[in-house]
Amino acid sequence: MKKTLFLVLLLASFFAKSQKSTLNIIPQPVEIEQFAGLFTLNKATIISYNKVEGRSAAEMLIQKISTPTGFSLKVQEGKNGGIQLNINDVPNEKIGKEGYTFESNTKGVVISANTSAGLFYGIQTLIQLLPKEIEGKELAKTAWTIPSVKVTDYPRFAWRGVMFDVSRNFFSKEDVKKYIDQLARMKFNTFHWHLTDDEGWRIEIKSLPKLTKVGAYRVARYGHFGDRAIPKEGEVATEGGFYTHEDIKEVVRYAQERNVTIVPEIDVPGHSMAAIAAYPELSCNKNPKTFVNPGASIADWYGNGTFKVLYENTLNPSDEKVYEFLDKVFTEVAELFPNKYIHVGGDECYKGFWAADEGCQALMKKLNIRHVEDLQGYFMNRLEKILKAKGKKLLGWDEILEGGISPEATVMSWRGIKGGIEAAKMGHDVVMTPTTFAYLDYNQGENTVDPPIYAGLRVSKSYSFEPVPDGVDAKYILGGQGNLWTEQIPNLRYAEYMTYPRAWALADVYWSPKVSKNWENFSKRMEAHFDRADLAQVNYSRAVYDAIVKTTLKNNKLSLELGSELSDLDIYFTIDDTMPDSFSPKYSKIIELPEGPITLRVITYRNGKPLGHLITLKRAELEKRATKQ
């Protein structure tokens, strides 16, 4: 009898422990505690809301889970549901506007928040606590269980964004909505929509119809961006598209339902080639043959941040007609986007055409300024007055600091964090989005595996980002965002590949407490979300599994160092022209490579199974990337 009782207690203990699962939530909650026991969702479960603001969240939850579960769940007002969505009668000051509390046990789930936004984010946590099959597109047979937990959660930063460039390649409104939905699931709340550039003008301006009739289309070209040919004489522009006012309103509503604010960007005074193609009189040279760039090289870059533009892409700051044009554009933009910010670009503005223009020189004399660069400050201050008249705040890339801007302007720091530090110390609000941590168009792993681009950024580097620099008052740092430029991104599937998992890492950075940052912990959660993304048919990069190959050259001797972002990978390599596998030499320490025309082949394994891409590098490439000692 004693043996039987002991066995029963042992089994009970085992099952209690087995009910505790790893909680793979992204972003990591502020406080989370797990207990024994599970709540099981079934076809009789009711979702309740205590105030009308919670009804849309309840309906959105049902919409998300109905297909994989097969349940047609009911929504009702009150506090009697198996899943309760409650707006607090007395605000919980700790969780603020976007936070929530979450309690689940064997009887049900209660999500409480001060606002509907908090409820929405609590629901995203609930979905991540359900089995991964909840992400599927078809009916799944599994136990729909939620572990017993207690969560208190709220964001570190108010601005948690991703920028999506639709100028370099056009994306349909359905693509944009799908992308916004994915970001909202990770508790991002800002969608920076880059709508105009040299390669296309994507927003309808009814008072200026040629902006889309001409500026939204370019000649068809293929191949690497920057290597393409300019248009031929008489060649018809057929590639592109734009969003009508109704399209914009639809996307804005869709985002609002998911607590995402859309910040539109109209990039001026540089990056305006598409606008000038439509209205050449806006430029200094007024060249009627100005074209929408199909991805040709229109500038010479000198490697030190300086450049020369070969085809005019800059508005003329001395021409009053330019400001009349801008007033028309921003009148319609302001009406379409209800948020307080409009992004005006301001980056990479080439001043060479201004320096050679008589009108610009006369303006400089009138303003008593000696440097042509100061004309950008004049332009931006004129533009800010236009925006203020429409009830909007000016937001721009860190170049807007050049030439002087008003204290009310908000700065987006992209050229590292230096511009953000400078702006914050001047009293400007700042959004941190440096290339070194947040540029999602950069290569994610080995440059010989993914299609080439000018720089690299691994997910572990993105995860290491700290948006508040030392010595800066945190009150000026609104938050941060990732930026996805699409020169080399022709479709949504590849946009997803470049965005994830780095956007998941940035979601942690912008939402979770600084003290909770732990790469090992995040990488485990990230890998669990790979499985979820597969079921959701969302693309992502697996570059985190690839080996990192470094070489050094000392006294004409080439040494090899191999590593990985994940600590539990085994790395195997060959230099004898054979294909590596788990029986090949296993890397353990820096090795000196022999002389001769060797080819290095490297692959990673875990638990005896290959994971990463096969990397193949000839000696010339190994020498090219070597650091000299």
Side-chain angles (χ1 to χ4, degrees):
M1 185 67 181
K2 288 182 180 179
K3 288 182 179 180
T4 302
L5 181 60
F6 174 77
L7 183 60
V8 169
L9 292 172
L10 185 64
L11 288 171
S13 174
F14 170 78
F15 284 119
K17 290 179 180 179
S18 68
Q19 287 181 328
K20 285 203 172 186
S21 58
T22 303
L23 304 177
N24 296 308
I25 302 171
I26 298 177
Q28 175 80 2
V30 175
E31 299 172 12
I32 185 164
E33 189 176 3
Q34 186 176 4
F35 308 95
L38 302 167
F39 170 68
T40 302
L41 190 72
N42 59 55
K43 62 182 180 180
T45 301
I46 292 173
I47 299 176
S48 65
Y49 60 94
N50 71 329
K51 295 184 180 180
V52 68
E53 305 97 291
R55 183 176 180 87
S56 62
E59 291 174 344
M60 198 171 292
L61 174 60
I62 285 178
Q63 183 180 12
K64 169 63 183 174
I65 67 177
S66 61
T67 296
T69 63
F71 300 154
S72 298
L73 303 185
K74 293 182 180 179
V75 173
Q76 68 180 34
E77 191 170 0
K79 288 189 175 183
N80 298 319
I83 297 176
Q84 298 177 27
L85 307 179
N86 297 331
I87 299 288
N88 295 322
D89 292 322
V90 178
N92 179 341
E93 293 184 6
K94 183 177 182 179
I95 62 175
K97 293 181 179 180
E98 295 183 292
Y100 63 93
T101 59
F102 184 112
E103 291 191 51
S104 57
N105 52 40
T106 57
K107 296 180 180 179
V109 177
V110 178
I111 302 174
S112 302
N114 298 328
T115 66
S116 58
L119 288 183
F120 178 84
Y121 294 132
I123 285 172
Q124 306 319 308
T125 294
L126 184 152
I127 292 168
Q128 291 190 31
L129 287 171
L130 283 163
K132 63 182 180 181
E133 288 80 7
I134 201 67
E135 306 291 354
K137 305 291 186 181
E138 55 189 33
L139 183 66
K141 293 183 179 180
T142 188
W144 299 107
T145 58
I146 297 170
S148 295
V149 297
K150 185 175 182 180
V151 176
T152 300
D153 201 14
Y154 47 88
R156 181 184 176 194
F157 294 105
W159 189 295
R160 307 180 305 280
V162 170
M163 187 223 70
F164 192 31
D165 165 24
V166 296
S167 173
R168 273 50 181 268
N169 278 296
F170 179 69
F171 293 79
S172 71
K173 68 178 179 182
E174 295 305 322
D175 284 344
V176 173
K177 287 160 64 176
K178 185 176 180 181
Y179 193 72
I180 289 172
D181 188 58
Q182 293 168 8
L183 298 177
R185 295 280 309 282
M186 292 294 149
K187 303 184 175 72
F188 285 100
N189 68 352
T190 304
F191 180 70
H192 174 175
W193 205 358
H194 186 84
L195 289 163
T196 73
D197 216 296
D198 298 323
E199 292 75 24
W201 184 284
R202 304 301 182 201
I203 177 172
E204 177 188 32
I205 303 297
K206 291 184 177 181
S207 59
L208 297 162
K210 286 197 291 185
L211 281 175
T212 47
K213 185 178 180 180
V214 176
Y217 297 93
R218 58 181 186 244
V219 298
R221 289 290 184 271
Y222 299 93
H224 195 274
F225 189 93
D227 295 335
R228 302 170 188 170
I230 65 171
K232 300 174 184 177
E233 189 74 30
E235 189 175 7
V236 179
T238 58
E239 187 87 8
F242 65 93
Y243 309 104
T244 66
H245 280 205
E246 291 309 309
D247 291 335
I248 297 285
K249 292 174 183 176
E250 181 180 334
V251 174
V252 167
R253 284 194 301 270
Y254 188 88
Q256 288 173 331
E257 290 168 358
R258 288 152 181 79
N259 300 284
V260 172
T261 295
I262 297 183
V263 175
E265 180 181 355
I266 306 298
D267 201 348
V268 291
H271 286 285
S272 296
M273 199 167 176
I276 294 171
Y279 297 97
E281 63 271 21
L282 299 174
S283 65
C284 291
N285 292 331
K286 301 176 174 46
N287 183 356
K289 293 185 178 181
T290 300
F291 53 84
V292 180
N293 185 18
S297 176
I298 64 168
D300 290 333
W301 292 85
Y302 302 125
N304 59 356
T306 62
F307 59 100
K308 178 182 179 180
V309 173
L310 308 175
Y311 300 89
E312 192 170 11
N313 71 340
T314 309
L315 301 177
N316 183 351
S318 70
D319 192 339
E320 285 302 311
K321 291 182 180 179
V322 167
Y323 301 101
E324 294 172 9
F325 163 83
L326 293 171
D327 189 79
K328 290 180 179 179
V329 168
F330 287 108
T331 293
E332 296 189 35
V333 172
E335 290 172 352
L336 290 169
F337 295 94
N339 87 91
K340 64 181 179 180
Y341 289 104
I342 293 179
H343 200 299
V344 298
D347 62 311
E348 298 175 338
C349 178
Y350 177 65
K351 316 299 193 304
F353 297 102
W354 297 355
D357 182 73
E358 291 182 2
C360 289
Q361 292 302 308
L363 177 61
M364 289 174 63
K365 187 175 181 179
K366 179 181 177 181
L367 297 173
N368 195 27
I369 57 177
R370 294 189 304 166
H371 303 291
V372 70
E373 288 77 10
D374 292 335
L375 282 178
Q376 179 155 341
Y378 168 80
F379 178 93
M380 284 298 169
N381 278 291
R382 289 284 303 267
L383 182 51
E384 186 172 32
K385 290 177 182 177
I386 291 172
L387 295 185
K388 278 185 176 180
K390 304 177 195 316
K392 301 296 185 180
K393 290 191 67 173
L394 182 145
L395 169 65
W397 303 111
D398 54 52
E399 285 99 329
I400 66 174
L401 292 169
E402 301 167 6
I405 54 172
S406 81
E408 298 173 29
T410 300
V411 175
M412 198 166 272
S413 185
W414 74 277
R415 297 178 298 179
I417 61 173
K418 182 180 178 182
I421 294 172
E422 179 185 348
K425 289 185 175 180
M426 293 169 62
H428 295 283
D429 286 338
V430 175
V431 178
M432 284 293 194
T433 178
T435 58
T436 43
F437 296 97
Y439 265 45
L440 305 177
D441 55 311
Y442 284 8
N443 274 2
Q444 297 168 85
E446 170 58 45
N447 287 333
T448 61
V449 173
D450 279 353
I453 201 165
Y454 34 81
L457 175 61
R458 293 184 177 273
V459 61
S460 55
K461 182 71 178 289
S462 289
Y463 185 74
S464 71
F465 181 35
E466 171 45 49
V468 182
D470 292 339
V472 171
D473 190 336
K475 74 179 183 180
Y476 293 112
I477 308 300
L478 300 180
Q481 70 179 34
N483 293 332
L484 185 68
W485 302 101
T486 62
E487 290 97 329
Q488 291 295 111
I489 300 174
N491 54 56
L492 181 63
R493 186 76 179 162
Y494 197 60
E496 293 171 346
Y497 177 88
M498 297 302 289
T499 302
Y500 312 114
R502 289 180 295 193
W504 301 342
L506 292 176
D508 248 42
V509 170
Y510 301 145
W511 179 283
S512 306
K514 181 179 178 180
V515 294
S516 72
K517 185 172 287 186
N518 181 295
W519 168 249
E520 291 295 325
N521 175 278
F522 172 77
S523 63
K524 295 296 187 291
R525 289 183 282 130
M526 173 188 68
E527 289 193 78
H529 278 263
F530 287 167
D531 293 338
R532 287 178 167 260
D534 288 338
L535 288 163
Q537 298 174 8
V538 172
N539 202 10
Y540 59 91
S541 169
R542 296 171 63 87
V544 71
Y545 293 125
D546 294 348
I548 300 172
V549 181
K550 296 180 181 180
T551 54
T552 56
L553 190 63
K554 183 178 182 181
N555 298 326
N556 292 320
K557 298 291 186 182
L558 191 63
S559 294
L560 172 69
E561 180 181 358
L562 301 177
S564 64
E565 292 183 89
L566 302 178
S567 61
D568 61 347
L569 300 184
D570 296 319
I571 305 173
Y572 297 94
F573 70 97
T574 63
I575 55 174
D576 60 358
D577 276 343
T578 62
M579 298 296 287
D581 62 14
S582 58
F583 292 88
S584 301
K586 181 179 177 181
Y587 179 81
S588 60
K589 62 180 181 180
I590 297 175
I591 60 173
E592 186 176 296
L593 293 171
E595 298 292 336
I598 62 168
T599 298
L600 172 72
R601 291 180 173 85
V602 182
I603 193 167
T604 58
Y605 274 66
R606 178 190 280 158
N607 299 326
K609 294 183 179 180
L611 270 182
H613 292 97
L614 173 67
I615 298 171
T616 303
L617 302 170
K618 293 183 180 295
R619 185 181 189 90
E621 174 61 31
L622 295 171
E623 291 178 345
K624 182 180 178 181
R625 66 175 61 188
T627 55
K628 295 183 179 180
Q629 293 185 343

